[in-house]
Amino acid sequence: MENELYRSEVECKREFEEIDFSDEEKNEKGRTAFECDICGKILSQKGSLVTHRRIHTGERPYHCDICGKSFNAKTDLVRHQRIHTGERPFHCDICGKLFNGKTDLVRHQRIHTGEKPYNCDICGKLFSQKGGLVTHQRIHTEDRPYHCGICDKLFNSKNDLVIHRRIHTGKKPYHCDICGNLFNGKNDLVIHQRIHTGEKPYNCDICGKAFARRGNLTIHRRIHTGEMPYFCDICGKILSQKGSLVTHRRIHTGEMPYHCDICGKLFNRKDYLVIHQRIHTGEKPYTCDICGKSFTRRGNLTTHRRTHTGEMPYFCDICGKSFSQASNLATHKQFHTRGKYLRCDVCGKSFHDIYHFTTHKRIHTGEKPYQCDICGKSFYENSYLTRHKSVHTGEKPYHCDICGKSFDYGRALTVHKRIHLGEDPYQCETCGKSFSTSGYLTIHKRVHTGEKPYHCDTCGKSFAENGSLRAHKRTHTGEKPYHCDICSKSFASRGSFSTHKRRHMREK
């Protein structure tokens, strides 16, 4: 077979030399350029012109005797037959990779040399392959010649159309041999496999950060350069990513192209749909390797890990305070720039963000929208419900590495550690007394101000603490939620219950 392929290549070259040209054409053989009379393309060889014309005529005279595929040039057939034989005669002397065509090797070697010989004359961008330049130039011309016959979507490259069609057919021909995941594009498989190998071949030359995708590196570099090349022609907003611009425009158009086939909810981003669908499936693919807690989003896992490590990477450049989440820093900065501009018209308390303001108002209205599906108890905030559920499960995943005590949420562990460290970072500016939490300081300040923002709607009595108001209300309702398991006596307040339990302990 190898000798036959060699003969085929020789015959291919000989064929172009033995074409029966007319006398007029023979007189032109000295010319260095031959023009296609259909599309005007210029070629340097007469044989290349003959092959090129077959693009217009559709003629494909060379057939593979194994799979029946046809080609318009004999060289293409020879290269194709190597797919069946497995022959890859062209070898990269830098990395050892093998190729079945010389042009494939030449393109590959540009990865090592960094050569990008094809230049866009509009924006100056460079490319290692001519095909990449041709596809890129369609961005400027807005030419999208490849059309999906099913959904009418247009594409600027044939490969994008081929991959897109698999959405309709459901075909996913590329298979990960490690986890079994299927992909409709080879590039998607290559990128996915880096999850297993940990390979991140694209490095930022400014900060050294590495990425599994070239596109992610390009986007990351804009953090350093400040480049924001994408501009919304409706509102003027500038963005660093083309995908962000496409998604942003949907705010103006109202387009929501991603549809949940279970509940019908619509989304303007595909990743929002994927995350949403996990509500239905219960899937939580991101697991903490310290406490085993699982999350639906990678970002939530990253934030959660900081409760174990104590990492607070976001710093306020005004007061130096640090935060574990960028959103908390952004909220905090509003305090410096805007002050407390949201004021409660019931108790007068002020807030600098709408979330805490809305949550606070529920204290006055009694609204508790978050309900436990086990015991029916309701809460003002979702975080309180999450914390409460650990009462039923008994889960306390946060452990003090000094005394071993466990807690059901990370904030409680942080406050507890201050007992060991002797930290009381919140100081009263009136009397100098210090406290371990900002909440305790807030309550203490009411001693000086006389403020009592919590009012009983039955008798009108006011209290400095919400907990005191709850205990007081039990005098009207007769509720006694604290029960002694020794003598069965019940109490309306936790303090009275604790005092009572000590009597049993003394009696022992």
Side-chain angles (χ1 to χ4, degrees):
M1 180 56 118
E2 188 175 339
N3 292 333
E4 288 175 7
L5 293 176
Y6 174 77
R7 284 198 301 273
S8 296
E9 289 186 286
V10 172
E11 286 169 7
C12 177
K13 292 175 183 176
R14 189 185 303 123
E15 178 181 339
F16 289 128
E17 295 171 356
E18 294 177 355
I19 293 175
D20 187 17
F21 297 116
S22 66
D23 291 338
E24 183 181 348
E25 289 173 324
K26 287 176 181 177
N27 290 333
E28 293 179 346
K29 285 185 84 174
R31 293 194 327 177
T32 57
F34 300 89
E35 183 177 351
C36 174
D37 54 3
I38 299 173
C39 69
K41 186 169 183 177
I42 305 297
L43 299 107
S44 61
Q45 298 179 37
K46 193 73 177 182
S48 299
L49 176 60
V50 172
T51 302
H52 167 78
R53 278 177 176 158
R54 290 176 185 146
I55 296 171
H56 303 299
T57 63
E59 182 188 5
R60 294 189 167 204
Y62 303 100
H63 305 283
C64 174
D65 53 7
I66 299 173
C67 69
K69 194 169 183 179
S70 298
F71 301 88
N72 60 13
K74 196 151 195 172
T75 51
D76 291 340
L77 171 61
V78 170
R79 185 167 53 184
H80 164 78
Q81 286 174 324
R82 290 178 183 143
I83 295 171
H84 302 300
T85 63
E87 182 192 7
R88 292 196 282 175
F90 300 98
H91 169 264
C92 175
D93 52 8
I94 298 174
C95 68
K97 196 169 182 179
L98 300 173
F99 300 87
N100 63 10
K102 187 174 182 179
T103 53
D104 293 333
L105 172 60
V106 171
R107 287 174 192 154
H108 164 79
Q109 286 173 326
R110 289 175 186 148
I111 296 172
H112 302 300
T113 63
E115 183 190 7
K116 293 185 176 182
Y118 302 101
N119 173 60
C120 175
D121 53 7
I122 298 173
C123 69
K125 192 170 183 179
L126 300 173
F127 297 86
S128 60
Q129 298 183 38
K130 188 175 181 180
L133 172 61
V134 171
T135 300
H136 164 80
Q137 286 174 326
R138 291 178 184 141
I139 296 171
H140 302 300
T141 62
E142 296 187 355
D143 178 30
R144 291 193 285 172
Y146 301 98
H147 168 259
C148 174
I150 299 172
C151 68
D152 292 330
K153 194 169 182 180
L154 299 173
F155 299 88
N156 61 13
S157 76
K158 187 175 181 179
N159 185 57
D160 288 345
L161 173 60
V162 170
I163 292 171
H164 165 78
R165 279 178 177 159
R166 291 174 184 149
I167 295 172
H168 301 300
T169 62
K171 184 180 178 186
K172 293 187 176 183
Y174 300 98
H175 170 263
C176 175
D177 53 8
I178 299 173
C179 68
N181 273 353
L182 299 173
F183 300 88
N184 59 13
K186 186 176 181 180
N187 189 53
D188 293 335
L189 172 60
V190 171
I191 292 169
H192 163 80
Q193 286 174 326
R194 290 174 185 152
I195 296 171
H196 302 300
T197 63
E199 182 190 8
K200 292 184 177 181
Y202 304 103
N203 293 60
C204 176
D205 53 6
I206 299 172
C207 69
K209 193 171 182 180
F211 299 87
R213 300 182 182 218
R214 188 195 301 273
N216 290 347
L217 171 59
T218 302
I219 293 164
H220 164 80
R221 278 182 175 151
R222 291 176 185 147
I223 297 171
H224 302 300
T225 63
E227 182 190 8
M228 305 276 274
Y230 300 100
F231 172 83
C232 176
D233 52 7
I234 299 172
C235 70
K237 187 171 183 178
I238 54 173
L239 302 108
S240 62
Q241 301 180 44
K242 186 178 180 180
S244 299
L245 174 60
V246 172
T247 302
H248 166 79
R249 278 181 175 155
R250 290 175 185 145
I251 297 171
H252 302 300
T253 63
E255 183 189 6
M256 306 272 271
Y258 302 102
H259 167 264
C260 176
D261 52 10
I262 298 173
C263 69
K265 194 169 182 180
L266 299 173
F267 299 87
N268 63 7
R269 284 175 53 167
K270 187 176 181 179
D271 57 328
Y272 289 167
L273 171 60
V274 171
I275 291 167
H276 163 79
Q277 287 172 327
R278 290 174 184 151
I279 296 171
H280 302 300
T281 62
E283 182 190 9
K284 292 185 176 182
Y286 304 103
T287 304
C288 176
D289 52 6
I290 299 172
C291 68
K293 192 171 184 179
S294 296
F295 301 86
T296 56
R297 302 185 187 207
R298 188 195 300 273
N300 291 349
L301 172 59
T302 301
T303 301
H304 163 79
R305 278 183 175 148
R306 292 176 186 143
T307 62
H308 300 299
T309 63
E311 182 190 8
M312 301 183 88
Y314 302 101
F315 298 92
C316 176
D317 52 7
I318 299 171
C319 68
K321 193 171 182 180
S322 57
F323 300 86
S324 62
Q325 299 182 51
S327 59
N328 291 346
L329 172 60
T331 301
H332 165 80
K333 278 192 168 181
Q334 289 176 4
F335 178 78
H336 294 301
T337 58
R338 302 180 189 175
K340 295 187 175 183
Y341 64 99
L342 295 168
R343 187 175 178 85
C344 175
D345 54 9
V346 178
C347 67
K349 191 172 182 179
S350 297
F351 300 85
H352 57 264
D353 69 271
I354 192 67
Y355 172 77
H356 289 98
F357 178 56
T358 303
T359 303
H360 165 79
K361 287 198 293 186
R362 292 176 186 145
I363 295 170
H364 303 301
T365 63
E367 182 190 5
K368 294 183 178 182
Y370 303 101
Q371 188 173 41
C372 176
D373 53 7
I374 299 172
C375 68
K377 193 171 183 179
S378 297
F379 299 88
Y380 298 118
E381 292 188 52
N382 191 31
S383 60
Y384 292 163
L385 171 59
T386 302
R387 190 189 313 169
H388 161 80
K389 283 184 175 177
S390 64
V391 173
H392 301 298
T393 62
E395 182 188 10
K396 292 187 176 182
Y398 302 97
H399 308 285
C400 176
D401 53 7
I402 300 172
C403 68
K405 192 172 182 179
S406 297
F407 299 87
D408 53 0
Y409 66 106
R411 176 68 178 163
L413 173 60
T414 302
V415 172
H416 164 79
K417 278 189 172 180
R418 290 175 183 152
I419 297 170
H420 299 300
L421 301 172
E423 285 182 13
D424 285 317
Y426 301 97
Q427 188 174 42
C428 175
E429 57 194 15
T430 305
C431 68
K433 193 171 183 180
S434 296
F435 299 88
S436 61
T437 71
S438 60
Y440 292 156
L441 173 60
T442 300
I443 293 168
H444 164 79
K445 280 181 176 178
R446 291 174 186 147
V447 174
H448 302 299
T449 63
E451 181 189 10
K452 294 184 177 182
Y454 303 100
H455 309 285
C456 175
D457 51 9
T458 304
C459 69
K461 193 172 181 179
S462 298
F463 299 87
E465 298 181 48
N466 192 28
S468 299
L469 172 61
R470 285 198 304 270
H472 165 78
K473 282 182 174 179
R474 292 177 190 136
T475 62
H476 299 300
T477 63
E479 181 189 5
K480 293 184 176 183
Y482 303 99
H483 307 286
C484 177
D485 53 6
I486 299 172
C487 68
S488 300
K489 195 170 182 180
S490 296
F491 299 86
S493 70
R494 189 192 299 271
S496 300
F497 178 46
S498 297
T499 301
H500 169 79
K501 284 198 296 184
R502 290 191 198 106
R503 289 175 184 164
H504 289 301
M505 291 176 70
R506 285 197 296 270
E507 288 170 1
K508 291 180 180 179

